[in-house]
Amino acid sequence: MTRWAIFALATLIFSSSANAQSPPDQPTLQCDNGPLHRDYGGTDWLVYSCVDEETLVFVTSAFPFYFLSYMHDGGRRLYGAGNAPREATRPAYEELTRLTPTDFEELLTETKAVSAVLR
């Protein structure tokens, strides 16, 4: 699957779930900074950041799945969705939950830098 196909899939999934859960007057979150290529839990992931400068999206082509890392009540939350067996995504989930606030800040900075070069 190409990078753009993966991004389109993640954007569609995220936009659909965000729109389903958001009030009609809340804007859709745009997550197109990046991507970075990273390995989490032995699986290759593309990492994108969103325009709110807090949210990160981790998408894999190994199976249809993504993680969304966002701020809530002063802490970072990790949400996963897709059609993958739990045992396939659990190692990445465990690794992502061990990332520090500094790690997330670095990912945000790097995704924005990649986008600046690509634009």
Side-chain angles (χ1 to χ4, degrees):
M1 197 180 288
T2 68
R3 179 180 94 169
W4 294 112
I6 294 167
F7 177 68
L9 174 65
T11 302
L12 176 64
I13 291 169
F14 180 66
S15 295
S16 298
S17 64
N19 288 335
Q21 298 171 3
S22 300
D25 60 339
Q26 186 172 355
T28 303
L29 192 57
Q30 181 180 342
C31 304
D32 60 356
N33 290 321
L36 302 175
H37 296 266
R38 295 291 188 269
D39 181 290
Y40 296 108
T43 301
D44 293 325
W45 296 83
L46 294 176
V47 183
Y48 294 90
S49 66
C50 304
V51 295
D52 67 352
E53 298 192 10
E54 291 183 346
T55 306
L56 290 164
V57 180
F58 302 82
V59 183
T60 185
S61 63
F63 28 78
F65 200 87
Y66 72 94
F67 286 108
L68 183 66
S69 175
Y70 61 98
M71 297 299 293
H72 181 74
D73 292 335
R76 189 156 283 282
R77 306 287 180 157
L78 188 62
Y79 169 80
N83 294 324
R86 184 179 196 127
E87 61 271 5
T89 59
R90 190 69 184 175
Y93 173 83
E94 290 174 358
E95 192 169 341
L96 289 170
T97 58
R98 289 191 301 266
L99 294 179
T100 67
T102 301
D103 295 330
F104 283 106
E105 287 300 320
E106 289 173 0
L107 288 170
L108 287 165
T109 300
E110 289 179 48
T111 54
K112 289 190 283 187
V114 167
S115 288
V117 169
L118 294 176
R119 291 188 179 135

